[in-house]
Amino acid sequence: MVGLVFWIYREVMSRLRARKVSLGGAVPLSEHEERLLGQIERALEAEDPKFAHAVRSSDPRVHYKRRVVKAGLGFLLGVALLLGGVVSKYVWIGVAGFLVMLTTAMWALTSWRRISGSAAGRAPAAARPERPRLRRRGRAGRGHATGNGFMERLEERWKRRQDGDM
C-alpha cells in the first residue's frame, strides 16, 4: 500500500513539475489536484510516518543546502590552515589550506547553482543568441581547409603585418 501511495505521489509531483509556463513560472494547481495531493500526503503520513518523513526530506535542495554548509565549514578550515602555514615555517600547510579553500569553494558553487537552478553569469538558453555550430573535421581534413581556418587567418595576418597594413 505504501508503495502505491508513494508511486501516486511521485506521479502527481512529476506531472506538476512538467507543467511549466514558457516564462518559467509554475501553473497553479486546480482545486481537484490540490485535494488529491492533500489526500495522498495524509494517507502516506497515516500509513508510514517514518517513510513520509524520509520522502519529504529527500528534496534535492535540502541535500545541496547541506553541501553548501559543509563547504563553508571546509572553507573556514582552509583559512585556518592557510593562516597556520603563514605563521609557521611550514609552507606546505599554507598550500594545503589554499587547496582546501579552493576545493570547498568550487563544491559550494556547484551546489549553490543546483539549488538555484541557474548557471552563474549566463543568460537563460532562450535569451542567448544562437551561435552557428562548427563542424569538426577529422585528421585527414586538417590542413586542407577551404574557409577561414586558423592557420589561414594567421597567415593572412602575418602577410598584412609584413606589408604594413596593420
Side-chain angles (χ1 to χ4, degrees):
M1 180 66 184
V2 173
L4 177 64
V5 171
F6 179 72
W7 179 81
I8 293 171
Y9 179 77
R10 288 286 174 145
E11 188 67 27
V12 168
M13 293 307 292
S14 68
R15 287 184 184 181
L16 294 177
R17 282 188 214 108
R19 285 186 172 189
K20 296 281 183 180
V21 177
S22 62
L23 298 176
V27 175
L29 297 175
S30 69
E31 291 179 23
H32 174 70
E33 290 171 334
E34 285 181 12
R35 253 192 333 263
L36 183 62
L37 186 60
Q39 288 174 356
I40 291 171
E41 287 177 345
R42 284 190 297 278
L44 183 62
E45 185 73 34
E47 185 76 28
D48 192 359
K50 284 184 179 179
F51 183 69
H53 178 71
V55 169
R56 194 174 303 123
S57 66
S58 68
D59 183 17
R61 289 177 292 179
V62 173
H63 171 69
Y64 291 124
K65 285 179 186 177
R66 282 190 205 127
R67 282 180 60 177
V68 168
V69 170
K70 288 177 184 178
L73 293 174
F75 189 84
L76 292 177
L77 176 69
V79 169
L81 283 172
L82 182 69
L83 292 176
V86 168
V87 171
S88 71
K89 61 181 179 179
Y90 300 111
V91 176
W92 62 270
I93 294 176
V95 171
F98 176 75
L99 292 176
V100 167
M101 288 170 52
L102 184 67
T103 304
T104 55
M106 289 302 296
W107 194 36
L109 183 64
T110 56
S111 297
W112 185 259
R113 283 182 180 174
R114 289 188 179 164
I115 288 172
S116 63
S118 67
R122 296 195 65 181
R128 284 195 307 260
E130 187 71 26
R131 291 189 317 195
R133 303 239 176 205
L134 299 176
R135 285 185 278 161
R136 301 192 101 193
R137 296 182 306 235
R139 285 185 170 252
R142 290 186 185 162
H144 298 291
T146 59
N148 291 333
F150 177 70
M151 290 304 292
E152 285 81 14
R153 288 192 313 257
L154 280 179
E155 289 174 6
E156 183 64 33
R157 286 181 189 166
W158 180 257
K159 287 177 187 175
R160 281 188 280 156
R161 194 173 288 157
Q162 293 298 320
D163 294 339
D165 291 345
M166 281 189 124

